[in-house]
Amino acid sequence: MRALTYHGTRDVRVDTVPDPVLQHAEDILLRVTATAICGSDLHLYRGKVPGMESGDILGHEFMGVVEEVGSGVKALKRGDRVVVPFVIACGDCYFCERTLFAACETTNPGRGAILNRKQVRSGAGMFGYTHLYGGYAGGQAEYVRVPMGNTGPLKIPDTLNDAQVLFLSDILPTGYQAVLNAEVGPGRTVAIFGAGPVGLMAAACARLLGAERIFMVDHHPYRLKFAQDHYGVEAMNFDDEHDVSQAIVEATNYRGVDASIDAVGFEAKGSAVETVLTTLKIEGSSGATLRHAIACTRRGGIVSVPGVYAGFIHGFMFGDAFDKGLSFRMGQTHVQKHMPELLRLIGEGALKPELIVSHHLDLEQAVRGYEMFDKKQDDCRKVVLTPGGPVAAAAPETALQSQAPLS
Ligand code: NAD
Ligand code: ZN
Ligand code: ZN
């Protein structure tokens, strides 16, 4: 089959590789009909995450049609159309029973050993996300083996097309969990850092849940404009605004927002010193966004962090966070927990995640897709890849209604 494979920093290729086969009773084999490139894939593409091996198949946002099922799969049959969560969870361990699926302790047993930590119980395995997360082959491919067929894949009604539901695999639940963690609701104010796909999904969910004001910070005008037009955010460009957190504090009567969401993560653009320190790996992550999030959040407020972090950060301002009595909530998304509710909201037309797609490409063009998404070329917001080429031409954006009527 054809698949997008990793060969080194900024070196991905569409190769011919062996077809996957069923390995366990609960596996299914999926024929992929649509798969997306995620900001998390960019961390791998840029060589920032350890544990990648040459030839690894990338991709953790995908959906398709069930081709084969293992003898232990009761929830699905051949021919079912499903979206697959990026988190691989067993459904019945200590954490899965508490719906903390990203903490599943059975699907990535080797992690503690790889990190050379003692006695650590690992979190869940993930598709296409390094050998630290289990070394599972990803779904930017024609076919993929999906473990835990009874727990993960969600059946999709024929009334919804691929683009409408594909983001149930990751970014939509991630944005949703971020706003739930931030306790966004009517009368509440929120600042979202990062207008990438995750930030945009968070803005969509914040709007849906009735947020009073949504501030959004980035430095790509085309992304900020999209968020303004579709989700009514108050956009702030950090290239133009000397101190974005101070500007947010001033705009909220010197109190700060009820919550902030860091949808950027460890590669946040910060000072030159920070860039040097992270490049030399003296610093694990850039603390640029977290500092602004702490600074713009009101006393007793919440900092919600869906953006991925690694290692340590020196300039964390824990003293400020303590003084303000902030709460921090973060982590990988418990995708399985949120999927059914979000599918319902898509079905009702309350959420239209497909609006953010800017590029529909053939899987064969995946290398170009990575390049555009990485360099933010051609106003790239989100790339969807289709093995065999896009089935239906994407509807022009102007013909689609914006998700929520803006007043
Ligand atoms: P993306 O790279 O497309 O978007 C990130 C955006 O942040 C870009 O538009 C960039 O310009 C902006 N940015 C950079 N520095 C900034 C700063 N200092 N202040 C404000 N904005 C800044 O990526 P994405 O797909 O939107 O993903 C965002 C993050 O979410 C990544 O770290 C990704 O790994 C993570 N993620 C986490 C989960 C999870 O389960 N928690 C799931 C999916 C993605
Ligand atoms: Zn992702
Ligand atoms: Zn589990």
Side-chain angles (χ1 to χ4, degrees), residues 276-299:
V276 171
L277 289 177
T278 46
T279 306
L280 294 175
K281 298 200 165 51
I282 293 169
E283 186 93 310
S285 291
S286 158
T289 315
L290 276 180
R291 279 199 301 279
H292 282 294
I294 291 170
C296 78
T297 305
R298 67 153 166 84
R299 291 180 181 278

Side-chain angles (χ1 to χ4, degrees), residues 37-43 46 60-61 86-87 102 126 129 170-171 174-175 177 192-200 217-220 222-223 236 238 244 262-270 286 288-289 292 305-309 330-335 373-374 376 380-382:
I37 306 175
C38 179
S40 298
D41 293 324
L42 293 180
H43 303 315
R46 296 171 187 145
H60 57 269
E61 300 183 358
F86 78 89
V87 164
M126 290 172 202
Y129 219 77
D170 178 352
I171 55 167
T174 295
Q177 180 170 297
I192 301 172
F193 291 84
V198 171
L200 294 176
V217 182
D218 203 301
H219 69 153
H220 292 291
Y222 76 92
R223 290 185 166 198
M236 290 197 179
F238 65 81
V244 283
D262 175 351
V264 183
F266 76 99
E267 292 193 76
K269 289 219 171 348
S286 158
T289 315
H292 282 294
V305 188
V308 165
Y309 279 86
M330 62 192 86
Q332 301 285 0
T333 306
H334 307 298
V335 184
F373 188 47
D374 177 35
K376 291 16 182 201
C380 187
R381 284 188 308 266
K382 187 77 177 174

Side-chain angles (χ1 to χ4, degrees), residues 2 5 44 60 63 91 120 142 152 176 202 205 210 221 242 250 252 257 261 271 281 294 308 341 370 377 400 405:
R2 302 288 283 165
T5 56
L44 306 178
H60 57 269
M63 62 178 297
V120 66
E142 288 183 288
Y176 188 59
C205 294
H242 165 64
E250 285 169 15
T252 52
V257 282
I261 294 175
S271 65
K281 298 200 165 51
I294 291 170
V308 165
E341 167 73 358
Y370 268 82
Q377 292 166 340
L400 296 168

Side-chain angles (χ1 to χ4, degrees), residues 89-96 101 103-107:
C90 72
D92 55 21
C93 72
Y94 174 90
F95 289 108
C96 286
F101 295 99
C104 175
E105 53 189 7
T106 67
T107 55

